[in-house]
Amino acid sequence: MFRVARIEGLHRGGRFVWRRCHSTGALPMLLHRQLYSDLESFAGQLGNACRVGDGGAGCFLLTGLPPTLCSLHEELLKSAQQFFAQPAQAKEAVDYQRSPEFRGYMRQGAENTAGSVDEREQMEFGREEARHFREGGLYQRLRGPNQWPSKPPHLKPLMLKWLQEMEELSRQLTRALSLSLGLTATGLDGYFLEPHVQAKLVHYPPAEGGMGVGAHCDSGFLTLLWQDSEGLEFLDANGQWIPATPVPNSLVCNLGEVVQLLTAGVYPATVHRVLQPKTATAGRFSLPYFWNPSLDVEIQTLDLPQRPAELSGRPSDQSHA
């Protein structure tokens, strides 16, 4: 179990003081079948994992995924390998700059995190919707169709199926999180009437080592990640990096800054980074899914009986993305 130091600030760019404490060096494992068979018990375990102020890890593994979802992950991995193996010209035919919704291919180095270039290439997707005029803020332009590469041809049906499966899973996890906060299971449903979803196929090319993506917290509500190899690390309560070692038939689940804001820090956002894969490997592939509230929702802090976490973030020498 983690024990944590007092908080110096929960805001972006905040600085934190750390004290040495014990860490198990592993992420808690929660069973997928219990999420559907015993939501209340699952919610209790989720709450224990998310309450960093009471020794939680701040993230967890969802294990024992159904065979159909595991097979879907494997098929998407094959599609990702085929897509990224194409020449640059073929991939850039669906460059994200061609999309008003910022969907599509991003070359290696197109993004940066914590002041450093991201050493990865990726293909970005969202909810498949028709593009048409919507009343409201400019943020509504983020809704619309995806760009689909011509090769591999089976990528589109696989991705659409995966987006559907992950949305259903994220809704159930949101209900467990709602219960864990002392709300009703449907207490947060109103935030997700038209959820803003981001998903990626990600390839980290092999390198001599170093940073693939620097230390950061995700800006949304919940992130679910499938990974084919090591590289992802989380910051524990000691300020030590703990590897999220891949476990068969599992997803890594971590919290974003929307949850931190919603809970006033009771559930802090999860700090994580990705190391570059070794040169001898074929690279690292991952499938992250970002579950976010509807774009027109205003996030306000809930009136919760729990105290806020005593710690979130990273040591004072780590910058926020």
Side-chain angles (χ1 to χ4, degrees):
M1 297 293 289
F2 303 144
R3 293 186 181 278
V4 296
R6 65 185 177 86
I7 190 169
E8 291 290 313
L10 284 171
H11 58 281
R12 178 175 289 274
R15 297 297 186 179
F16 303 93
V17 174
W18 297 73
R19 298 173 187 156
R20 288 293 165 189
C21 51
H22 177 65
S23 168
T24 63
L27 302 184
M29 296 187 183
L30 281 63
L31 286 172
H32 177 275
R33 66 173 181 269
Q34 192 173 36
L35 175 61
Y36 291 90
S37 65
D38 190 352
L39 186 61
E40 187 171 346
S41 294
F42 185 96
Q45 296 175 57
L46 184 150
N48 290 337
C50 294
R51 288 188 180 87
V52 176
D54 294 327
C59 51
F60 59 92
L61 291 174
L62 185 65
T63 62
L65 299 179
T68 52
L69 185 53
C70 295
S71 296
L72 188 53
H73 287 149
E74 293 296 334
E75 291 300 315
L76 275 172
L77 170 61
K78 293 176 185 177
S79 293
Q81 292 170 332
Q82 293 169 15
F83 173 77
F84 290 120
Q86 297 181 103
Q89 184 177 5
K91 293 182 285 190
E92 289 170 357
V94 287
D95 189 282
Y96 79 101
Q97 296 182 77
R98 301 173 182 267
S99 166
E101 296 80 21
F102 307 105
R103 316 266 181 90
Y105 175 71
M106 285 188 173
R107 60 174 175 79
Q108 185 175 351
E111 290 188 315
N112 70 85
T113 302
S116 298
V117 171
D118 293 350
E119 299 296 345
R120 64 182 177 184
E121 57 178 341
Q122 58 194 22
M123 184 72 184
E124 297 215 13
F125 303 92
R127 263 184 151 196
E128 184 72 11
E129 299 179 284
R131 183 184 298 134
H132 54 84
F133 176 77
R134 296 176 182 273
E135 295 183 357
L138 287 175
Y139 53 80
Q140 294 289 0
R141 68 177 291 183
L142 296 174
R143 301 177 60 181
N146 293 294
Q147 292 195 89
W148 299 106
S150 59
K151 297 180 180 179
H154 46 271
L155 174 57
K156 180 177 180 179
L158 287 172
M159 177 55 69
L160 289 175
K161 176 64 174 175
W162 187 65
L163 289 170
Q164 180 183 356
E165 293 284 340
M166 297 303 284
E167 179 170 333
E168 193 280 329
L169 178 58
S170 297
R171 288 190 184 279
Q172 189 72 357
L173 284 168
T174 299
R175 287 167 184 151
L177 190 145
S178 182
L179 273 179
S180 75
L181 291 169
L183 307 173
T184 64
T186 57
L188 298 176
D189 281 8
Y191 287 94
F192 300 93
L193 298 179
E194 293 184 294
H196 176 53
V197 167
Q198 297 165 283
K200 300 180 182 183
L201 301 178
V202 183
H203 175 225
Y204 296 86
E208 295 293 338
M211 197 63 60
V213 176
H216 67 285
C217 298
D218 295 334
S219 61
F221 188 86
L222 181 68
T223 303
L224 308 180
L225 176 85
W226 182 90
Q227 54 181 344
D228 76 332
S229 56
E230 296 181 351
L232 178 64
E233 296 184 335
F234 291 96
L235 200 62
D236 77 357
N238 289 318
Q240 301 298 311
W241 290 103
I242 304 301
T245 304
V247 172
N249 307 328
S250 73
L251 290 167
V252 182
C253 304
N254 66 268
L255 306 180
E257 292 174 333
V258 170
V259 173
Q260 178 172 298
L261 174 61
L262 194 66
T263 66
V266 173
Y267 288 0
T270 314
V271 186
H272 54 287
R273 68 182 186 183
V274 181
L275 303 182
Q276 287 181 295
K278 303 295 184 182
T279 304
T281 70
R284 179 180 185 270
F285 293 87
S286 65
L287 307 173
Y289 178 89
F290 303 93
W291 173 247
N292 307 307
S294 307
L295 290 169
D296 58 356
V297 165
E298 181 178 346
I299 303 299
Q300 297 183 347
T301 301
L302 299 170
D303 184 16
L304 300 174
Q306 299 97 325
R307 63 184 175 86
E310 295 178 355
L311 174 70
S312 70
R314 59 191 60 80
S316 59
D317 62 349
Q318 297 283 345
S319 60
H320 207 297

